[in-house]
Structures are given as structure tokens and as C-alpha cells.
Amino acid sequence: MNENVILSGLHMELTDALKSIVAEKVERLYKHEDAIIRIRIELERATCSTTHSNEYVAKGHLELKGTTITISSASDDLYKSIDDLVNKLDRGLRRRSRLLKVKRKQGSIADTMHTERYAA
């Protein structure tokens, strides 16, 4: 597992197989963004006493330069929660990069319009 990935479990024991699956899924995030400082994944088993069913919650914290993306996903299946979490984190990274590109383009357009207005 990458040293920048912190995996913790609440009310459950983390097996080696679970750790390897999470590490494999998280590698996809590093392909999109190289500036990831740290990824914290928290897996939790929440037991509802009224229905006697288990709900698994996966929380992800992506620490990037200047911002932190925090997302959670809940499901009856732990592996489905992990898949949903990684998909949501991936969408968050893509959205962040798209917004940064738009912001850069809008800034340059505004600068050119500003200089054109005063040049005439």
C-alpha cells in the first residue's frame, strides 16, 4: 500500500485482503491527480439495533494542496461502499480539475477583454 494512504476501521477488523482491495482501488485516484498529499479512508460498521442489520460506511478524505475533499458512502455491502466511495472521489477530482481549468481560462479572457477595452 502507498505510504500516503491511511486506512482505518471502526467497529471492524481490517483483513489483509480488504487492505489490498482498497489499495488497488485507490491507485486509480493517483492516475488523475499527482498532487495528492494524503488519502484517508475510514471503514465503519454501523449496527442498527431496531432492524438488526449492518450498514457499512466508507468515508474518504483527499488532502490536496489548498483543499480537502471529504466524501462518504453507505451501503449494506462493504465492498459496494468502497466502490461507491472511490467513484465519488474520482468524480470530485475530475470536477476540481475541470473547475480549475475553467477558472484559468476565464481569468485570461477577462484580462484580454480588459486590455482590449482600454487599448481602443
Side-chain angles (χ1 to χ4, degrees):
M1 188 181 304
N2 193 335
E3 64 273 355
N4 295 335
V5 177
I6 300 170
L7 180 63
S8 61
L10 299 170
H11 308 293
M12 61 184 298
E13 187 175 334
L14 297 176
T15 61
D16 290 334
L18 190 59
K19 290 177 186 178
S20 66
I21 287 173
V22 170
E24 179 183 313
K25 302 269 185 198
V26 167
E27 283 301 316
R28 187 173 93 185
L29 300 175
Y30 280 103
K31 291 180 183 176
H32 293 295
E33 184 73 39
D34 294 334
I36 295 174
I37 298 169
R38 185 177 308 119
I39 299 176
R40 239 180 32 232
I41 305 287
E42 298 172 359
L43 303 175
E44 180 180 359
R45 182 176 59 122
T47 306
C48 295
S49 61
T50 58
T51 60
H52 299 292
S53 65
N54 291 329
E55 182 179 51
Y56 295 97
V57 180
K59 298 176 187 174
H61 307 277
L62 260 171
E63 295 180 26
L64 302 162
K65 182 179 177 183
T67 186
T68 301
I69 299 173
T70 304
I71 295 176
S72 66
S73 175
S75 175
D76 292 337
D77 183 24
L78 179 62
Y79 296 104
K80 183 178 179 191
S81 295
I82 293 169
D83 285 340
D84 289 345
L85 174 70
V86 173
N87 288 337
K88 286 180 180 182
L89 288 172
D90 187 36
R91 279 195 310 260
L93 276 177
R94 284 186 282 146
R95 181 177 184 273
R96 179 182 174 270
S97 70
R98 186 177 62 244
L99 289 176
L100 289 175
K101 287 179 186 177
V102 168
K103 192 174 186 180
R104 281 188 299 224
K105 286 182 181 178
Q106 285 179 350
S108 63
I109 291 171
D111 291 340
T112 58
M113 289 175 61
H114 180 69
T115 56
E116 288 175 0
R117 186 181 338 158
Y118 289 109

